[in-house]
Every structure is written in structure tokens, then in C-alpha cells.
């Protein structure tokens, strides 16, 4: 899974560096959504099966422990840098970043972007997707917990997820507006990307591992090719000639992106000894996947700094990749890992005691 995360974050960085040979790298965001939906749902169902309950408070605290320390570090550094250079320059993006800080920290940034129909977040621009994920983390466990009150709970969870996903897909055809591409940042616009991962997790937990193994063996290669083609041919977000391509991608393309993502996830889970899985488990790929959250956080400020000094987009991409890697590795080593080691064990759910 870490290898897939590595591909996703590098694609996103390439897109934001505006390299002409990978304009559609923003598909990496939707890949992250699929991974998140799968992992979170799998862990929730596993906790219910193992412990007889889902400790929602501990679940939410674990999510905050994983996400907030690195995010707070980024926010402090960006706003500190803005204060430092404020006497010498007027940078609208840095000013926007300061205004957007509450929305970023409290995970409603995507709706601020939708509401203003603008790049409201400044140097925090890509962090709208974290708001989508955190809103999902807040609501979806409640849905899962409610469904476990009924018989055939996995079936009910699956039907619920499928119904919402189908509704979101239809909704995109209705609300898509080529003059307001920031509307695509709405949680309702992207939730089926997360729910595709949810449905895969339910398939595994319901005993469909063998069927997933067979299907993914057939689908994984064309799915990978499809995602690569998307990265190469989909127009850059909000580019002048992107209206028709954007409509096609966001209405027709996104469901296929979701299918491709879960096909690859299914393959990696069920074919762990395959050459592809072993290649993606190569230590550099694995480590890049481990720090991909930090890379996602840090890459945009680095891109903006480089863009102010350079014009060659390929050089910007390469330098951004290096700078982001260093920043994310330091964040992982000095902030995220120490806090995980100190508190994660305390936040693990405990089995329900059985009394007679």
C-alpha cells in the first residue's frame, strides 16, 4: 500500500509543479481517498469483530494523533515565514494562508474553497482534501456503528455505501459547473472515491477474498495503465482549455478512477508475493509511502517558493521533490514518530470483557 501512496503523492507534486508531461497528476488525491476509505473501514469492522464494539472516541483520537502534529508544524512554519517576510513583500498567497488557517486546522477548508470559488487556502491549497477525509472520518464510523446494531450488518453497510456512492455519481452530472471547478472540492462531490475503498473492505470482511483475488488479477494491469494515462492526458486543473476535459473527467472519469484504485489495492492485498507487490515494497518506495502525508503537506509551499525563483517546471518538480522529501522525513522522524510511539499504544481499543 505504501508503494501506491508513493505513486499518488509524486503524481500530485508533478501536477502542482505544472510539468507539461503529467498535467493530470491530481488523480493522486482520488487514489488517496480510495486507500483511506479501504483502510479505515477495514479497521473499524476488524475492531468490531475482535472486541465486540467500536471505541469511537479512541478511533477519533488516533486519527488526530496521526494527522494533527504534522499539520500544526506546517501551519506554524508557513505563518511564521509569512510574518518574517511581511515587511519586505506583499504576497497574496501568504496572506490567504493566514486567513485560511482556522479552516485548515478545523477541517472545513474544502467548503471555504467551494463557497468562495477561489484558491482561498493560499499556500495550504491542496489541504482541502484533508478536510474531505476528516469529515469522512467523523461521520462514517457513526454510520458503521449504527449498522452494527442490526443483523446482517456487513450487508447493510455495503448497501448504504453503494447507495451513497451511486447518489454521489449521479449528483456530479447534475451539479458540475465548468465555470466553478472549485465545486469539485465538496465532500459530496468526492465521497464515492472514499466509498469505493469502503466497498472493497466490506468485500474482504464478508469473506470475498478469493473473488477479489481473481478479479484484481484480471483488472490490476489495465487499472494501472488507466491511471497512468489519466496522469498524462487529463488537462491541468482550471487551465484555459480544460472545460470539456474537466467535464468528462469529473463526471464519467471519476467512477473509473475509483474502480481502478480499488482494483490495484485488491491486487496488492491478495498478491503480496507478486513481482509488482515486491517492487512496490522496495524500501525507497515503502519509505516514501510512509512519509507521503508529510510530503503532501509540505510540497505546495515548496513549489510556491521555487516558482517565485524559477521558470523551468521540470526543475521545479525535481527540486520540490527533494525539498519536500527532506521536510517530510524530518517531520516524520522528529515529530510524528515520537508522538506515535508515546501515545498510540494508550489509544488502542480494548476488548469488551465478557461476564456470566
Amino acid at each position: 500500500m505504501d508503494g501506491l501512496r508513493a505513486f499518488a503523492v509524486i503524481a500530485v507534486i508533478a501536477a502542482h509543479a505544472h510539468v507539461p508531461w503529467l498535467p493530470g497528476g491530481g488523480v493522486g488525491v482520488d487514489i488517496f481517498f480510495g486507500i483511506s476509505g479501504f483502510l479505515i473501514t477495514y479497521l473499524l469492522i476488524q475492531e468490531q469483530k475482535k472486541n465486540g464494539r467500536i471505541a469511537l472516541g479512541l478511533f477519533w483520537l488516533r486519527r488526530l494523533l496521526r494527522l494533527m502534529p504534522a499539520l500544526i508544524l506546517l501551519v506554524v512554519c508557513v505563518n511564521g515565514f509569512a510574518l518574517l517576510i511581511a515587511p519586505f513583500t506583499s504576497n497574496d498567497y501568504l496572506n490567504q494562508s493566514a486567513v485560511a488557517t482556522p479552516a485548515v486546522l478545523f477541517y472545513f477548508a474544502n467548503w471555504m474553497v467551494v463557497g468562495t470559488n477561489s484558491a482561498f487556502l493560499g499556500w495550504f491549497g491542496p489541504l482541502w482534501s484533508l478536510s474531505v477525509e476528516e469529515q469522512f472520518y467523523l461521520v462514517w464510523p457513526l454510520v458503521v456503528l449504527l449498522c452494527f446494531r442490526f443483523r446482517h450488518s456487513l450487508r447493510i453497510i455495503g448497501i448504504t455505501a453503494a447507495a451513497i456512492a451511486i447518489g454521489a455519481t449521479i449528483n456530479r452530472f447534475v451539479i458540475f459547473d465548468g465555470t466553478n471547478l472549485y465545486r469539485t472540492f465538496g465532500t459530496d462531490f468526492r465521497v464515492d472515491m472514499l466509498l469505493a475503498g469502503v466497498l472493497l473492505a466490506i468485500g474482504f470482511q464478508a469473506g470475498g477474498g478469493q473473488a477479489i483475488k481473481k478479479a484484481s488479477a484480471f483488472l490490476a494491469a489495465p487499472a494501472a495503465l488507466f491511471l497512468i494515462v489519466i496522469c498524462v492526458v487529463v488537462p491541468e486543473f482550471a487551465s484555459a482549455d480544460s472545460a470539456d476535459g474537466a467535464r468528462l473527467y469529473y463526471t464519467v472519469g471519476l467512477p473509473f478512477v475509483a474502480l481502478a484504485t480499488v482494483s490495484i489495492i485488491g491486487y496488492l492485498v491478495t498478491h503480496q508475493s507478486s513481482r509488482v507487490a515486491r517492487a512496490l515494497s522496495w524500501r525507497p518506495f515503502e519509505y516514501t509511502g510512509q512519509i507521503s502525508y508529510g510530503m503532501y503537506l509540505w510540497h505546495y509551499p515548496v513549489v510556491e517558493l521555487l516558482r517565485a525563483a524559477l521558470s523551468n517546471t521540470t526543475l521545479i518538480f525535481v527540486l520540490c521533490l527533494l525539498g519536500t522529501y527532506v521536510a517530510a522525513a524530518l517531520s516524520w522522524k522528529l515529530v510524528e514518530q515520537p508522538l506515535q510511539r508515546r501515545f498510540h499504544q494508550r489509544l488502542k481499543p480494548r476488548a469488551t470483557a465478557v461476564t456470566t
Side-chain angles (χ1 to χ4, degrees):
M1 207 72 71
D2 283 326
L4 185 57
R5 285 193 184 101
F7 169 81
V9 76
I10 291 170
V12 170
I13 293 172
H16 287 148
H18 301 311
V19 294
W21 38 270
L22 214 66
V27 72
V29 172
D30 296 304
I31 294 173
F32 277 125
F33 285 155
I35 294 171
S36 295
F38 170 73
L39 290 176
I40 292 304
T41 305
Y42 192 92
L43 292 173
L44 286 170
I45 297 173
Q46 194 72 9
E47 181 179 339
Q48 175 68 32
K49 286 183 174 182
K50 180 180 178 181
N51 299 335
R53 61 191 290 268
I54 296 174
L56 285 182
L58 292 178
F59 167 81
W60 286 323
L61 285 173
R62 288 195 303 274
R63 286 292 85 206
L64 289 175
L65 177 64
R66 177 67 188 95
L67 299 174
M68 285 301 291
L71 179 61
I72 291 172
L73 176 64
L74 174 77
V75 166
V76 169
C77 289
V78 168
N79 285 311
F81 179 74
L83 288 172
L84 193 64
I85 70 168
F88 311 103
T89 183
S90 176
N91 188 305
D92 289 339
Y93 250 36
L94 281 174
N95 294 334
Q96 287 174 337
S97 303
V99 173
T101 293
V104 169
L105 288 176
F106 292 100
Y107 295 111
F108 59 91
N110 64 316
W111 291 113
M112 296 301 293
V113 174
V114 171
T116 59
N117 187 22
S118 68
F120 172 82
L121 305 181
W123 279 22
F124 300 134
L127 303 193
W128 66 269
S129 68
L130 300 186
S131 295
V132 173
E133 291 203 19
E134 195 63 27
Q135 290 158 28
F136 174 78
Y137 296 154
L138 182 64
V139 175
W140 184 245
L142 294 171
V143 175
V144 172
L145 188 64
L146 178 63
C147 290
F148 271 118
R149 294 181 178 274
F150 301 95
R151 292 181 59 192
H152 309 297
S153 52
L154 287 183
R155 186 180 303 172
I156 295 172
I157 296 170
I159 292 171
T160 302
I164 298 172
I166 292 169
T169 302
I170 295 171
N171 181 56
R172 273 199 296 272
F173 283 89
V174 176
I175 69 172
F176 180 83
D177 180 1
T179 65
N180 181 7
L181 288 182
Y182 290 106
R183 181 64 182 87
T184 65
F185 293 2
T187 307
D188 59 329
F189 203 94
R190 302 281 185 145
V191 69
D192 56 322
M193 300 293 102
L194 289 145
L195 292 172
V198 167
L199 291 169
L200 180 65
I202 293 169
F204 274 111
Q205 292 284 7
Q210 282 301 315
I212 293 170
K213 183 176 183 178
K214 292 178 181 178
S216 65
F218 174 74
L219 292 172
L225 179 61
F226 173 74
L227 291 178
I228 291 170
V229 170
I230 288 291
C231 288
V232 174
V233 304
V234 168
E236 184 180 330
F237 178 81
S239 64
D241 60 347
S242 69
D244 292 337
R247 178 176 294 278
L248 182 64
Y249 175 69
Y250 286 116
T251 55
V252 178
L254 278 184
F256 288 99
V257 169
L259 176 61
T261 300
V262 297
S263 296
I264 295 171
I265 294 172
Y267 182 84
L268 293 175
V269 172
T270 58
H271 296 79
Q272 295 184 22
S273 60
S274 67
R275 291 181 180 178
V276 173
R278 289 201 305 269
L280 289 176
S281 298
W282 185 42
R283 183 53 184 161
F285 286 155
E286 188 176 45
Y287 184 72
T288 301
Q290 288 174 350
I291 65 170
S292 60
Y293 173 61
M295 291 181 70
Y296 191 82
L297 291 180
W298 284 97
H299 82 274
Y300 204 65
V302 176
V303 161
E304 289 300 314
L305 282 172
L306 291 170
R307 190 176 290 130
L310 302 170
S311 59
N312 186 303
T313 56
T314 300
L315 181 59
I316 290 172
F317 167 63
V318 172
L319 292 177
C320 177
L321 203 56
L322 293 173
T324 299
Y325 205 92
V326 171
L330 289 173
S331 174
W332 176 253
K333 181 71 174 178
L334 301 178
V335 177
E336 298 166 67
Q337 270 193 318
L339 289 173
Q340 287 283 325
R341 282 195 292 262
R342 182 170 183 179
F343 294 107
H344 188 75
Q345 194 66 29
R346 303 181 192 180
L347 299 178
K348 277 190 174 182
R350 294 174 176 82
T352 303
V354 179
T355 58
T356 58

